[in-house]
Amino acid sequence: MQGDESITDRQFDAAKVAAPYLHPKLAGLSMNAVVRRSVEEFSDDELNTLAQTGTTGRPD
């Protein structure tokens, strides 16, 4: 498919069949999350780190 951007009906049907395996619906996933601290309890440094990296850098 080098340079050819056209998609055949067969390729499209294969992608539709494979999509649920590659991209499961979020509603189908279960999550058991516990909020340990509120935003007010974080220091400014922790909030900045969280905003930049997605983690506070502290162990749970």
Side-chain angles (χ1 to χ4, degrees):
M1 299 192 90
Q2 297 173 346
D4 184 10
E5 295 182 14
S6 62
I7 298 173
T8 65
D9 288 338
R10 185 175 179 194
Q11 290 170 322
F12 184 71
D13 290 339
K16 288 193 300 186
V17 171
Y21 299 101
L22 298 175
H23 309 287
K25 292 183 179 182
L26 293 178
L29 302 176
S30 64
M31 184 171 88
N32 185 13
V34 177
V35 177
R36 295 177 188 242
R37 295 194 292 172
S38 68
V39 171
E40 291 82 18
E41 296 178 58
F42 285 97
S43 69
D44 288 340
D45 289 338
E46 288 175 318
L47 289 172
N48 287 330
T49 302
L50 184 60
Q52 293 174 3
T53 64
T55 180
T56 61
R58 291 182 52 185
D60 292 334

